[in-house]
Amino acid sequence: MLDLHTHLIGHQDRIANRQNMKDYLEAAQRAGLKEFGFADHDMYFKELDLPLIREVAKAYPELNVRVGLEVDYRAEDEGKIKNLLQSFDFDYVIGSVHEIQNWLFDYPEEAEKHRKMEPDQLYISYFSLVEKAARSHLFTTIGHFDLIKLFGVRPRTDVRELAEKAINAIAENGLVAELNTAGRYKPIGEFYPEEKLIREMVNHGIDFTLGSDAHEAKLVGRDLKEGIRFLKSCGVKRLISFQQKQKLTFPLD
């Protein structure tokens, strides 16, 4: 089992020291993980000590520890993102969309604005950015693919139609999608992405990885066993981890 979406320093509420790293890695061991990845937000990059992660990981030889980054995708920042990603030998990079035209839409105080917007247009705007992220050649993975649903606003049009171009972009560029279990603890109360989107991705030959989106050690591995069962029920046959951007395959028996 693997968990490749965890945040060592959360939202800057902890520091990237040796003890914090050990807390996460020991939580990963307790959860029975074989592959574990740190993927903090790029906005906190200067607060991270990525070489120290590699050093601390040596004390956990039975755990394959990967170093990633979750990057907030903005089309106008592609050059900056490229330069940032060249500054460290990341195993993988998660591309995520949290912002539409300078609107940070996933903050709890933004829920009412979601409900006031035309839902199809909300989804179209979001998925157009996900498509651009997938075509940017910056990422290995697309994070929480249908994050825009988090406050329970559903489109009038079939979401598969609205997400079609983004799904095609992921497939055409060989990216991996993640099953992110954190959606269960948002107002929407379900995994990202939803079942019919997963099935559509499977039909396009897209592979999946797993992430708890843990922002503290005690949440590492949360609901991943259920997530694996869910993926298998949707036709997913294998999971993907990464080492130096190369895919590692783990069959789901």
Side-chain angles (χ1 to χ4, degrees), residues 70-123:
E70 181 181 14
V71 176
D72 281 358
Y73 177 77
R74 302 177 186 87
E76 66 273 17
D77 287 346
E78 285 192 10
K80 294 179 182 178
I81 296 170
K82 183 177 180 180
N83 290 336
L84 174 63
L85 297 181
Q86 290 174 342
S87 67
F88 188 81
D89 187 18
F90 290 101
D91 289 306
Y92 62 100
V93 184
I94 301 171
S96 297
V97 174
H98 297 94
E99 182 176 323
I100 300 171
Q101 296 180 342
N102 299 315
W103 173 40
L104 294 167
F105 64 79
D106 64 338
Y107 284 27
E109 58 267 27
E110 300 301 319
E112 188 59 29
K113 185 173 180 178
H114 281 247
R115 289 187 279 270
K116 291 179 179 178
M117 296 181 71
E118 200 288 311
D120 278 13
Q121 189 55 55
L122 177 64
Y123 275 70

Side-chain angles (χ1 to χ4, degrees), residues 48-252:
L48 300 172
D49 190 341
L50 301 179
L52 182 60
I53 292 175
R54 301 278 196 212
E55 179 185 331
V56 172
K58 293 176 183 177
Y60 300 83
E62 68 285 2
L63 187 63
N64 295 320
V65 180
R66 312 302 181 187
V67 180
L69 194 70
E70 181 181 14
V71 176
D72 281 358
Y73 177 77
R74 302 177 186 87
E76 66 273 17
D77 287 346
E78 285 192 10
K80 294 179 182 178
I81 296 170
K82 183 177 180 180
N83 290 336
L84 174 63
L85 297 181
Q86 290 174 342
S87 67
F88 188 81
D89 187 18
F90 290 101
D91 289 306
Y92 62 100
V93 184
I94 301 171
S96 297
V97 174
H98 297 94
E99 182 176 323
I100 300 171
Q101 296 180 342
N102 299 315
W103 173 40
L104 294 167
F105 64 79
D106 64 338
Y107 284 27
E109 58 267 27
E110 300 301 319
E112 188 59 29
K113 185 173 180 178
H114 281 247
R115 289 187 279 270
K116 291 179 179 178
M117 296 181 71
E118 200 288 311
D120 278 13
Q121 189 55 55
L122 177 64
Y123 275 70
I124 289 168
S125 298
Y126 171 76
F127 281 125
S128 69
L129 292 171
V130 175
E131 179 190 358
K132 289 179 181 178
R135 296 194 185 282
S136 69
H137 305 291
L138 294 169
F139 310 119
T140 62
T141 308
I142 293 297
H144 38 58
F145 178 71
D146 58 351
L147 178 65
I148 196 64
K149 73 184 181 185
L150 83 163
F151 294 120
V153 174
R154 302 284 194 178
R156 295 187 176 93
T157 302
D158 189 322
V159 69
R160 290 170 293 191
E161 180 179 333
L162 300 179
E164 181 180 6
K165 292 181 180 179
I167 291 173
N168 288 338
I170 293 170
E172 290 165 8
N173 288 277
L175 273 65
V176 172
E178 69 166 9
L179 182 81
N180 185 307
T181 62
R184 272 188 156 185
Y185 303 91
K186 302 297 183 179
I188 190 64
E190 65 181 40
F191 295 141
Y192 308 117
E194 66 175 281
E195 179 177 347
K196 58 186 173 183
L197 286 173
I198 293 175
R199 292 185 181 278
E200 190 69 13
M201 288 174 161
V202 170
N203 290 339
H204 282 73
I206 294 170
D207 282 317
F208 281 82
T209 189
L210 285 173
S212 65
D213 216 337
H215 280 64
E216 51 186 317
K218 69 181 182 180
L219 302 180
V220 167
R222 182 170 63 173
D223 292 352
L224 294 186
K225 291 181 180 179
E226 294 95 326
I228 288 172
R229 289 195 291 269
F230 182 52
L231 286 175
K232 290 174 70 173
S233 74
C234 294
V236 175
K237 303 297 185 184
R238 62 184 189 174
L239 294 174
I240 301 295
S241 184
F242 295 91
Q243 184 175 23
Q244 296 182 324
K245 309 284 181 62
Q246 299 301 307
K247 293 178 181 178
L248 305 174
T249 302
F250 297 88
L252 286 178

Side-chain angles (χ1 to χ4, degrees), residues 5-57:
H5 193 150
T6 71
H7 295 272
L8 177 66
I9 62 172
H11 288 293
Q12 285 185 306
D13 45 21
R14 293 176 306 282
I15 60 175
N17 61 18
R18 188 180 298 269
Q19 185 57 54
N20 190 22
M21 294 171 190
K22 289 174 65 177
D23 289 345
Y24 272 76
L25 297 178
E26 289 167 10
Q29 287 184 318
R30 290 193 296 271
L33 302 181
K34 300 300 182 184
E35 297 274 326
F36 177 81
F38 291 106
D40 276 278
H41 294 287
D42 64 304
M43 68 184 80
Y44 307 139
F45 183 75
K46 292 181 180 179
E47 311 299 322
L48 300 172
D49 190 341
L50 301 179
L52 182 60
I53 292 175
R54 301 278 196 212
E55 179 185 331
V56 172

